[in-house]
């Protein structure tokens, strides 16, 4: 068996997330597997680095699959992309070591959350921004975001239910930038729990809008109480920007 790594970008607007679902063909993993299986005339399963939620997008998801065939990567990539939906594209295909695993070998991930800080988003960008009509104080958001930096128990900021799973994650940096009405929040960490980024962003938006105080994040982290988190930011503004490897 030969192991191949693929890089995928997709618009998650009309999908129920990355992960294959037995009762639906509206997943990114399911669509890619169906096309690869048809092209190789055998069932193919892929393993991705991140299980993005329904409505979340990816600029650079990484996955692997195994096949008995030796592929001519350039030709095969062109063939597969012709049959993928227009909102999914495999941007790179290459052989990789047999033991390479995109989730276990990843050293970190970068997510970007996009906010349209105004009453109405640009019609051509509305599917990729979350509209926040209240004026946001970016400096307050930047100050609050620094509290997240480091290793913390993020129980308050996740909807993950596995009690045996560690809730400790390390946030390495958070950059917040404004470009006219657009606000971009870039978060890099060693890994993220289910809904963690969207919950962190939800609190930062509340702080920027003045409905929470900057000092509340430390209290929320220490509380380890999911009920205290409040708003989970909508999925359409979230992008998996990059998966990091050594």
């Amino acid at each position: 068996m030969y192991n191949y790594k693929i890089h995928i970008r997709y618009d998650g607007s009309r999908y129920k997330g990355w992960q294959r679902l037995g009762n639906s063909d509206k997943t990114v993993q399911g669509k890619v597997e169906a096309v690869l299986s048809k092209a190789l005339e055998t069932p193919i399963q892929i393993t991705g680095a991140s299980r993005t939620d329904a409505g979340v997008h990816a600029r650079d998801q990484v996955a692997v699959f195994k096949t008995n065939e030796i592929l001519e990567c350039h030709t095969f990539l062109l063939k597969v992309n012709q049959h993928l939906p227009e909102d999914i594209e495999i941007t790179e295909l290459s052989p990789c070591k047999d033991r390479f695993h995109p989730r276990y070998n990843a050293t970190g991930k970068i997510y970007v959350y996009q906010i349209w800080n105004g009453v109405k988003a640009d019609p051509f960008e509305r599917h990729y921004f979350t509209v926040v009509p209240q004026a946001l104080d970016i400096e307050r958001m930047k100050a609050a975001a620094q509290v997240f930096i480091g290793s913390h128990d993020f129980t308050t900021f996740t909807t993950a239910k596995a009690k045996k799973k560690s809730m400790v994650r390390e946030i390495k940096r958070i950059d917040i930038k404004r470009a006219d009405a657009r606000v971009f929040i870039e978060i890099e960490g060693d890994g993220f729990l289910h809904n963690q980024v969207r919950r962190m962003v939800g609190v930062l938006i509340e702080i920027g809008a003045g409905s929470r105080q900057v000092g509340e994040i430390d209290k929320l982290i220490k509380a380890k109480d999911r009920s205290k988190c409040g708003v989970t930011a909508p999925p359409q503004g979230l992008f998996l920007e990059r998966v990091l490897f050594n």
Side-chain angles (χ1 to χ4, degrees), residues 123-246:
F124 299 106
E125 300 184 68
R126 69 191 186 281
H127 296 304
Y128 313 108
F129 283 81
T130 291
V131 174
V132 178
Q134 303 97 325
L136 294 176
D137 187 327
I138 301 301
E139 295 308 313
R140 277 172 56 90
M141 294 171 70
K142 287 180 179 179
Q146 294 309 301
V147 184
F148 283 126
I149 305 301
S151 295
H152 305 286
D153 185 316
F154 281 96
T155 298
T156 300
F157 295 90
T158 182
T159 55
K161 297 179 181 179
K163 294 182 180 179
K164 294 182 180 180
K165 184 178 180 180
S166 173
M167 299 297 175
V168 175
R169 295 292 185 275
E170 181 185 2
I171 301 300
K172 297 183 178 181
R173 65 179 177 89
I174 302 179
D175 296 325
I176 304 176
K177 300 177 182 178
R178 178 191 286 278
D180 298 322
R182 300 168 183 81
V183 176
F184 302 94
I185 302 176
E186 185 170 304
I187 304 177
E188 179 181 344
D190 63 351
F192 295 92
L193 301 164
H194 187 233
N195 281 339
Q196 181 183 338
V197 173
R198 289 167 56 197
R199 285 193 152 209
M200 290 168 63
V201 169
V203 170
L204 290 174
I205 289 173
E206 290 180 323
I207 290 171
S211 57
R212 281 187 188 266
Q213 298 302 312
V214 171
E216 287 190 54
I217 288 182
D218 185 55
K219 296 177 182 177
L220 289 170
I221 292 173
K222 291 177 179 176
K224 301 178 186 178
D225 183 348
R226 301 171 191 187
S227 67
K228 295 185 182 298
C229 188
V231 177
T232 299
Q236 71 267 19
L238 184 59
F239 287 77
L240 171 61
E241 190 74 13
R242 188 179 173 196
V243 183
L244 305 174
F245 300 95
N246 284 331

Side-chain angles (χ1 to χ4, degrees), residues 54-177:
V56 175
H57 320 290
R59 292 191 174 98
D60 192 11
Q61 168 76 284
V62 178
V64 294
F65 69 92
K66 293 183 182 294
T67 177
N68 288 318
E69 294 191 30
I70 298 176
L71 302 178
E72 201 295 303
C73 291
H74 178 72
T75 303
F76 186 75
L77 184 60
L78 290 175
K79 178 181 177 181
V80 169
N81 277 323
Q82 287 177 349
H83 296 283
L84 282 170
E86 291 183 345
D87 47 12
I88 301 175
E89 180 188 13
I90 298 177
T91 59
E92 294 181 37
L93 167 67
S94 61
C96 62
K97 293 181 179 179
D98 185 61
R99 292 188 177 184
F100 175 77
H101 193 290
R103 191 161 68 250
Y104 301 144
N105 291 131
T107 58
K109 295 171 186 173
I110 299 173
Y111 281 89
V112 172
Y113 198 90
Q114 302 187 165
I115 299 167
W116 191 279
N117 193 200
V119 177
K120 189 175 182 179
D122 183 321
F124 299 106
E125 300 184 68
R126 69 191 186 281
H127 296 304
Y128 313 108
F129 283 81
T130 291
V131 174
V132 178
Q134 303 97 325
L136 294 176
D137 187 327
I138 301 301
E139 295 308 313
R140 277 172 56 90
M141 294 171 70
K142 287 180 179 179
Q146 294 309 301
V147 184
F148 283 126
I149 305 301
S151 295
H152 305 286
D153 185 316
F154 281 96
T155 298
T156 300
F157 295 90
T158 182
T159 55
K161 297 179 181 179
K163 294 182 180 179
K164 294 182 180 180
K165 184 178 180 180
S166 173
M167 299 297 175
V168 175
R169 295 292 185 275
E170 181 185 2
I171 301 300
K172 297 183 178 181
R173 65 179 177 89
I174 302 179
D175 296 325
I176 304 176
K177 300 177 182 178

